[in-house]
Amino acid sequence: MNTELIVVLDMDTKKEALSAVAACDVCSWFKIGAQLFTRLGPSIVHDVRKKGKQVFLDLKYHDIPNTVAHAAKAAADLGAGLITLHASGGHAMIEAARVAVEGSETRILAVTILTSLNEAALQHELGLSETPAEAVRRLAQLAVDSGAHGIVCSPRELDVLRTTLGDEPLIVTPGVRPDWATQDDQKRVMTPREAAQSGASMIVVGRPILKHPDPGHAAAMILEEIQP
Ligand code: C5P
């Protein structure tokens, strides 16, 4: 499988974001999340697209189907190649988003259980009786059955989800750290090569690239590592 690298643009300003894009010109994909999008709005998506890059717009939609469908259509109109929604929004919401992006290049990824939620939070706060792993599998299957093109998951779920979902769905994973980088606040990491070998379609990497003295070189080393 050809695994792609997505560079995270978690910053506050256009200057920082576009200088990261320029430094990582060797990469095709950049992730714009709630932080940068809330600061700068759709213009930053246009700016990154104008550099010839693909945008993963990671806004994790979760609302009634009609609202999510219109948001998904708006993201597709903006030229986002990938967008996210919460699988826990349910079948009708995911299906409505899928219908809304038909005819565009936009692909929908579903987030299952946030990795910040542990078993105690699932049980006592969300009222779920499943373990996180069981909930992740169930929601990933629901998402794909409802029309999502893929899912976002942690590296430690890659093996089981690739087996459960088969070869077709996109599986995108953050929590990736090359041997030469620090773990930062990521707890259970995998190297780029391990993630690629475990079936990741795309890996999402931020700080190991952005905090490297030479971000372009860091990105090139990761790309080299994930070559099949
Ligand atoms: O800097 P780092 O490589 O840790 O960045 C990872 C990116 O992936 C961040 O944008 C973070 O919000 C996102 N992410 C994550 N873990 C998840 C879901 C998303 O690290 N479970």
Side-chain angles (χ1 to χ4, degrees):
M1 177 174 295
N2 247 342
T3 306
E4 300 223 44
L5 171 61
I6 304 174
V7 181
V8 174
L9 298 178
D10 281 345
M11 51 263 298
D12 284 319
T13 66
K14 175 174 166 178
K15 189 165 170 240
E16 289 169 291
L18 293 186
S19 78
V21 173
C24 299
D25 197 36
V26 70
C27 300
S28 309
W29 281 92
F30 292 85
K31 181 169 95 74
I32 296 173
Q35 179 185 353
L36 190 62
F37 192 81
T38 305
R39 289 272 176 214
L40 301 176
S43 68
I44 189 64
V45 178
H46 291 302
D47 290 334
V48 175
R49 295 283 294 138
K50 271 192 241 144
K51 302 289 177 195
K53 303 302 183 186
Q54 303 256 43
V55 170
F56 172 9
L57 188 59
D58 184 19
L59 299 179
K60 299 189 179 68
Y61 300 131
H62 190 176
D63 209 317
I64 58 171
N66 181 58
T67 301
V68 169
H70 282 98
K73 174 74 167 66
D77 290 347
L78 264 181
L82 287 169
I83 62 174
T84 44
L85 46 69
H86 280 277
S88 56
H91 172 79
M93 185 200 81
I94 301 164
E95 188 176 58
R98 171 62 188 260
V99 170
V101 303
E102 282 302 327
S104 76
E105 301 280 300
T106 304
R107 299 284 171 266
I108 296 170
L109 300 175
V111 175
T112 57
I113 298 289
L114 294 172
T115 48
S116 49
L117 294 171
N118 60 18
E119 189 152 359
L122 283 194
Q123 286 180 0
H124 304 307
E125 297 171 26
L126 303 190
L128 297 184
S129 54
E130 300 160 297
T131 65
E134 287 164 346
V136 165
R137 268 203 304 281
R138 178 176 57 77
L139 288 166
Q141 190 69 62
L142 168 76
V144 169
D145 290 347
S146 304
H149 299 90
I151 54 141
V152 180
C153 72
S154 93
R156 70 202 152 93
E157 292 153 356
L158 272 170
D159 262 341
V160 75
L161 288 181
R162 185 51 86 197
T163 307
T164 308
L165 301 175
D167 287 341
E168 189 146 338
L170 293 169
I171 303 188
V172 178
T173 183
V176 174
R177 288 291 179 272
D179 285 336
W180 43 263
T182 55
Q183 283 195 213
D184 304 305
D185 54 357
Q186 298 284 7
K187 300 273 188 287
R188 283 171 291 262
V189 298
M190 243 187 210
T191 66
R193 179 173 292 114
E194 287 166 341
Q197 287 172 348
S198 302
S201 315
M202 307 171 107
I203 59 171
V204 176
V205 184
R207 286 161 289 181
I209 294 174
L210 301 172
K211 294 203 166 150
H212 193 279
D214 182 349
H217 179 59
M221 285 195 288
I222 294 173
L223 285 172
E224 170 76 27
E225 201 182 316
I226 60 177
Q227 292 310 307

